[in-house]
């Protein structure tokens, strides 16, 4: 049996959709399972033996109709028995149309249901604490009537070599071994997904004041100035606990560093999703325009918590569409004071760090 799973988009999406591959492997141990993703997202799939081949969707496929057509022809030649499209946008519809797969599963959407043999409802509300992002992916397995126990948790695989390199990096930076380690998801993937820097420094201060911990910042070199802004706004007593220059060279080294941490706090995004896949507790600060019910995965009020401005100021969201909220996001962020959720951070730290003070 030959299976293709399609999930273009960001790192978090690709990591979460890998649960489709993981469960298909459990159901069909001898199948060939291929996964089509953007090139930039492949680091989160390294070491995952549930995936046989990663098919890259490259920039040339976006820019050239001819290249996209060539990719479709390549997929057609593979003669897939089953195709699961977790992306379901124009780019993937063309590939699905050309694939000639026997069974094709995706979400029910007006005007494109003819492309698929099975159209699954695109649910608007979560039924469990898994969150919509997980539930929607798992719903794509329903037409297969699998008899296995479904595992909803995305996985990251860190090699012993990568773990040792991370430990060596901690030693190089003289990280205090008697303290737990908190990763701060400092910046979102864009400004509209980034908690205001002056507020984030207060969050970091609050973590430092309430727990005897080492603090790491997650940022890319191009985000250095923003990271410095947060650091410089923190109290001197907080700055002493921050290992500002302890960074990975790439995504795999971040994963290995995160694997040595005890929990993560900060902006929603790839870093949070990777931390969860490493089984680390998470505290998420959502952007005002992002729907919490989609990405607040595994919420249990203990190990995984999240906060959204709507939790405290529902009046600001009355009669507003996602488009309107996105436009107003930066002004809404200014209303999202860290004081709203300091008690929740304190509770989160107390429940997930044994050496809280």
């Amino acid at each position: 049996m030959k299976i293709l799973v399609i999930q273009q988009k960001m790192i978090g999406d690709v990591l979460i959709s890998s649960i489709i591959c993981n469960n298909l492997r459990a159901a069909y141990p001898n199948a060939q399972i291929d996964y089509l993703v953007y090139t930039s997202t492949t680091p989160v799939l390294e070491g995952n033996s549930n995936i046989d081949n990663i098919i890259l969707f490259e920039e040339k496929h976006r820019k050239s109709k001819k290249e996209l057509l060539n990719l479709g022809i390549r997929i057609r030649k593979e003669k897939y028995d089953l195709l699961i499209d977790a992306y379901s946008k124009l780019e993937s519809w063309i590939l699905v149309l050309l694939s000639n797969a026997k069974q094709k599963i995706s979400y029910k959407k007006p005007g494109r249901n003819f492309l698929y043999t099975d159209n699954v409802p695109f649910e608007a509300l979560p039924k469990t604490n898994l969150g919509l992002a997980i539930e929607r992916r798992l719903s794509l397995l329903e037409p297969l009537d699998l008899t296995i126990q479904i595992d909803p948790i995305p996985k990251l695989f860190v090699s012993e070599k990568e773990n040792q390199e991370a430990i060596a990096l901690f030693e190089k930076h003289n990280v205090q071994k008697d303290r737990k380690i908190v990763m701060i998801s400092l910046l979102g993937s864009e400004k509209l997904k980034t908690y205001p820097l002056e507020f984030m420094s207060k969050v970091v201060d609050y973590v430092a004041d309430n727990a005897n911990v080492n603090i790491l910042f997650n940022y890319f070199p191009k985000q250095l100035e923003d990271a410095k802004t947060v650091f410089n706004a923190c109290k001197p007593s907080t700055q002493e606990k921050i290992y500002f220059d302890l960074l990975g060279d790439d995504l795999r080294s971040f994963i290995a560093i995160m694997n040595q941490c005890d929990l993560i706090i900060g902006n929603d995004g790839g870093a949070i999703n990777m931390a969860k896949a490493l089984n680390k507790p998470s505290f998420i600060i959502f952007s005002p325009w992002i729907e919490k019910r989609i990405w607040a995965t595994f919420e249990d009020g203990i190990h995984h918590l999240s906060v959204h401005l709507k939790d405290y100021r529902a009046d600001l969201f009355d009669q507003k569409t996602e488009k309107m909220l996105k436009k107003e996001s930066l002004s809404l962020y200014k209303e999202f004071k860290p004081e709203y959720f300091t008690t929740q951070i304190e509770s989160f730290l107390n429940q997930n760090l044994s050496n809280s003070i």
Side-chain angles (χ1 to χ4, degrees):
M1 186 177 190
K2 293 179 83 170
I3 304 170
L4 176 64
V5 178
I6 297 177
Q7 175 64 81
Q8 286 114 296
K9 228 176 172 188
M10 311 291 276
I11 284 166
D13 300 279
V14 168
L15 179 56
I16 283 187
S17 287
S18 68
I19 62 174
I20 298 171
C21 302
N22 299 343
N23 284 290
L24 287 170
R25 173 63 72 218
Y28 309 113
N30 300 317
Q32 176 184 315
I33 300 172
D34 299 346
Y35 195 15
L36 188 146
V37 299
Y38 285 159
T39 309
S40 59
T41 64
T42 57
V44 298
L45 304 176
E46 279 182 35
N48 189 339
S49 59
N50 299 313
I51 299 163
D52 292 301
N53 302 297
I54 295 171
I55 299 173
L56 299 178
F57 192 94
E58 301 172 67
E59 198 60 33
K60 65 181 182 182
H61 299 125
R62 301 186 81 172
K63 290 181 172 172
S64 162
K65 289 189 178 76
K66 186 186 173 189
E67 290 292 349
L68 184 62
L69 199 63
N70 286 341
L71 179 61
I73 291 165
R74 183 181 145 202
I75 288 169
R76 188 185 186 96
K77 283 179 181 171
E78 286 290 330
K79 296 181 179 171
Y80 288 105
D81 300 291
L82 169 63
L83 185 153
I84 297 179
D85 180 6
Y87 185 54
S88 195
K89 297 275 174 72
L90 183 60
E91 289 170 356
S92 65
W93 299 335
I94 292 166
L95 300 178
V96 170
L97 189 64
L98 292 167
S99 73
N100 211 23
K102 292 171 191 168
Q103 186 174 12
K104 294 171 282 194
I105 304 170
S106 193
Y107 303 112
K108 193 181 285 182
K109 289 187 176 180
R112 63 218 73 153
N113 292 343
F114 69 94
L115 288 169
Y116 304 95
T117 58
D118 300 88
N119 294 280
V120 176
F122 191 67
E123 298 293 353
L125 296 168
K127 294 172 183 158
T128 68
N129 77 328
L130 293 177
L132 268 180
I134 298 276
E135 288 184 12
R136 283 172 176 166
R137 266 68 170 199
L138 292 178
S139 72
L140 295 172
L141 296 171
E142 286 173 8
L144 301 173
D145 294 322
L146 303 181
T147 55
I148 58 161
Q149 177 77 38
I150 296 291
D151 182 355
I153 302 173
K155 310 276 192 298
L156 279 173
F157 301 88
V158 186
S159 70
E160 185 55 34
K161 180 174 178 282
E162 287 173 321
N163 275 326
Q164 290 307 319
E165 285 170 355
I167 291 165
L169 189 62
F170 280 48
E171 287 175 354
K172 180 186 167 188
H173 286 269
N174 298 312
V175 174
Q176 288 197 30
K177 292 182 178 178
D178 60 337
R179 289 177 176 172
K180 295 291 180 79
I181 303 168
V182 174
M183 177 68 77
I184 303 292
S185 177
L186 202 62
L187 304 153
S189 57
E190 56 178 302
K191 195 159 183 172
L192 297 184
K193 290 184 179 179
T194 300
Y195 194 52
L197 304 184
E198 67 274 20
F199 289 170
M200 185 57 85
S201 63
K202 289 184 179 179
V203 170
V204 179
D205 277 341
Y206 197 76
V207 171
D209 287 346
N210 282 272
N212 182 30
V213 290
N214 302 311
I215 298 171
L216 305 186
F217 281 2
N218 171 43
Y219 63 93
F220 294 115
K222 66 179 180 182
Q223 299 168 320
L224 178 63
E225 290 310 310
D226 283 346
K228 279 183 180 173
T229 299
V230 176
F231 179 83
N232 292 333
C234 289
K235 299 190 296 193
S237 57
T238 300
Q239 291 177 355
E240 287 171 12
K241 294 182 175 183
I242 299 169
Y243 292 82
F244 187 82
D245 297 319
L246 199 162
L247 282 179
D249 296 327
D250 54 26
L251 204 49
R252 285 305 300 181
S253 53
F254 166 76
I255 291 167
I257 289 168
M258 187 64 234
N259 202 34
Q260 300 302 317
C261 295
D262 294 283
L263 53 83
I264 189 166
I265 293 173
N267 292 288
D268 177 44
I272 294 276
N273 289 305
M274 288 184 270
K276 286 183 180 182
L278 292 166
N279 201 27
K280 307 295 179 180
S282 65
F283 187 103
I284 312 172
I285 304 166
F286 276 104
S287 167
W289 75 275
I290 296 293
E291 285 205 67
K292 179 174 163 176
R293 63 187 177 181
I294 298 177
W295 288 101
T297 55
F298 310 110
E299 290 266 306
D300 60 3
I302 300 169
H303 302 300
H304 300 293
L305 286 94
S306 65
V307 290
H308 193 288
L309 179 57
K310 196 174 183 179
D311 299 337
Y312 310 94
R313 293 289 310 277
D315 57 298
L316 297 172
F317 293 79
D318 287 346
Q319 320 285 272
K320 287 183 184 170
T321 63
E322 184 184 298
K323 199 173 180 181
M324 290 161 75
L325 291 170
K326 190 171 184 179
K327 205 173 177 182
E328 296 173 26
S329 202
L330 295 181
S331 59
L332 286 169
Y333 254 143
K334 291 192 174 95
E335 300 295 326
F336 197 5
K337 307 284 194 293
E339 292 77 22
Y340 285 155
F341 53 86
T342 48
T343 54
Q344 282 156 290
I345 288 184
E346 186 178 356
S347 168
F348 175 74
L349 292 170
N350 287 336
Q351 288 174 318
N352 292 287
L353 297 173
S354 56
N355 63 349
S356 292
I357 56 169

